[in-house]
Amino acid sequence: MRKILKTTICVFVLIVIFFFTKEASALTLSPIRFEISGNPGDTLQQEITLINETNKAETYSVSYSNFEAQGESGDPAFVAPKDGLGTWIRIESNSIAIPARQQKIIPFTINIPKDADPGGHFAVIFWGTSGGDTSSGVSIGAKTGVLVLLSVNGDVKENAGLLSFNTVGKQFWYSTLPVSFEYRFKNDGGDRIKPQGKIIIHNTVFFPTEYLNANMVEGNILPASTRKFKVDWINYERSKEYVAPTGFFAKFWSDVSYQWKNFAVGFYTARLNVAYGASGEHAKGTAFLFVFPWQLVLVMLVVFIVVFWGGKKVIKRYNKFIIDKNRLNGN
């Protein structure tokens, strides 16, 4: 039992990794997502391009799965297609041979039943070098998948809204950027929705200073689910190879440099404004935060004091020089 469970977990991890990667080491699919609509009874025609990235000929098998939302991260839960969109998709051949470093265009059809329920229907078309049978719900081998998001036209209920918007962990005080925002959106309607809009950052005097894309990943919220979106405000990002200095002064100056490149200081207001749904409804939220880069402020204060004090000394000496010179000329 433990061995079966371990194998199942490994297979799931492989599927997820290859599913969310546009380009796998062996196979590339294009496009990676279809967002289409049709009427009950329609037959839709689409095409997928398969690219064999290996140096040898490969035979790829096709399989289908429905999927639904899993948690709030946007990750899908795959379901064996006993009905629904996974059973409406048809490709002429269950396997296709592609020579090394070559590609082929594969047409497929979606036959929407006349009695199909209006709203969202979601499936994935998997391609892999393993067998195409997924009747057991598990197929051994790495797969690459294409999302199919179908909207069946009709009377579809729309019921969605913003649940929350704030900084991650409701943090208020920051010593520097990045600042991470998150918002949770719930969809109780009959079709997927995709929030589109901005998070606008206003500074202490209420002028807008930054405009952040509220849905950079173009993520959808499936029916009967809640999804969490994360948005980062950052101007400069350290490289992945960056190693923080261990010495006090080295770390201090590294932080000063980073705070300067990500300069932000004072009280900020973040306003979320996104549109969603066919009717273009809007959802809004507000968050507050304070950024105080104390290392940078300390250095700037010291520099100001030195310049101010030094400037006064220079002016004082210059005035004394002029006065002494005038006295000498007067004599």
Side-chain angles (χ1 to χ4, degrees):
M1 182 66 183
R2 181 177 296 179
K3 185 176 181 181
I4 295 174
L5 179 60
K6 185 176 180 180
T7 302
T8 304
I9 293 173
C10 291
V11 171
F12 177 78
V13 170
L14 280 172
I15 290 175
V16 170
I17 290 173
F18 278 82
F19 180 76
F20 285 102
T21 304
K22 181 176 180 180
E23 182 172 302
S25 59
L27 178 65
T28 299
L29 304 181
S30 179
I32 59 171
R33 178 167 60 187
F34 291 89
E35 297 190 35
I36 52 182
S37 62
N39 298 310
D42 283 354
T43 297
L44 308 179
Q45 306 283 343
Q46 300 291 334
E47 293 180 340
I48 307 173
T49 300
L50 276 66
I51 306 172
N52 180 4
E53 301 282 355
T54 68
N55 293 319
K56 63 177 182 177
E58 293 282 6
T59 298
Y60 300 102
S61 300
V62 66
S63 60
Y64 312 95
S65 178
N66 293 329
F67 73 88
E68 56 192 30
Q70 176 178 260
E72 297 188 0
S73 64
D75 294 338
F78 304 114
V79 181
K82 297 179 181 179
D83 53 22
L85 181 56
T87 63
W88 304 347
I89 302 173
R90 287 289 178 269
I91 294 177
E92 284 190 6
S93 177
N94 288 330
S95 62
I96 182 73
I98 305 179
R101 300 292 175 180
Q102 297 296 315
Q103 67 181 42
K104 285 191 177 181
I105 297 175
I106 310 299
F108 69 93
T109 60
I110 301 175
N111 299 304
I112 305 176
K114 293 182 179 180
D115 59 350
D117 293 332
H121 300 265
F122 315 106
V124 58
I125 304 174
F126 281 121
W127 293 90
T129 53
S130 62
D133 181 19
T134 58
S135 58
S136 63
V138 174
S139 178
I140 304 300
K143 298 180 179 182
T144 307
V146 173
L147 282 173
V148 182
L149 309 177
L150 171 67
S151 294
V152 176
N153 299 326
D155 186 14
V156 181
K157 179 186 74 171
E158 283 194 353
N159 184 15
L162 180 69
L163 294 180
S164 63
F165 169 63
N166 212 323
T167 58
V168 172
K170 298 183 179 180
Q171 184 176 343
F172 177 74
W173 182 277
Y174 294 84
S175 62
T176 186
L177 303 184
V179 173
S180 295
F181 301 96
E182 66 180 16
Y183 65 96
R184 298 173 64 244
F185 220 97
K186 186 176 183 180
N187 181 10
D188 287 327
D191 199 359
R192 71 186 188 278
I193 59 172
K194 182 188 294 184
Q196 300 279 10
K198 301 288 185 182
I199 297 176
I200 304 176
I201 311 295
H202 297 260
N203 61 18
T204 305
V205 292
F206 305 108
F207 283 111
T209 59
E210 294 289 339
Y211 295 83
L212 310 177
N213 189 336
N215 189 0
M216 184 70 73
V217 297
E218 294 289 315
N220 290 279
I221 308 165
L222 302 188
S225 70
T226 298
R227 182 165 181 174
K228 182 186 295 182
F229 294 85
K230 183 182 176 184
V231 182
D232 293 325
W233 173 26
I234 184 170
N235 298 323
Y236 169 79
E237 191 170 359
R238 284 169 170 154
S239 66
K240 294 180 180 179
E241 293 77 23
Y242 171 79
V243 178
T246 55
F248 174 80
F249 289 105
K251 185 177 185 307
F252 178 86
W253 288 112
S254 176
D255 289 342
V256 168
S257 174
Y258 183 76
Q259 291 171 1
W260 176 255
K261 293 174 181 177
N262 272 308
F263 185 78
V265 61
F267 179 79
Y268 290 91
T269 303
R271 303 186 188 279
L272 170 71
N273 187 355
V274 292
Y276 64 93
S279 58
E281 295 190 49
H282 281 258
K284 299 180 180 181
T286 304
F288 304 98
L289 60 133
F290 194 90
V291 183
F292 186 74
W294 68 268
Q295 292 102 323
L296 178 61
V297 171
L298 180 61
V299 170
M300 294 176 69
L301 182 62
V302 170
V303 170
F304 174 78
I305 291 173
V306 170
V307 171
F308 181 76
W309 179 80
K312 285 185 66 176
K313 295 284 287 184
V314 169
I315 293 173
K316 188 176 180 180
R317 288 189 177 185
Y318 177 76
N319 289 338
K320 185 176 183 301
F321 170 76
I322 295 297
I323 293 171
D324 291 343
K325 185 177 180 180
N326 289 335
R327 285 176 179 174
L328 289 173
N329 291 336
N331 293 333

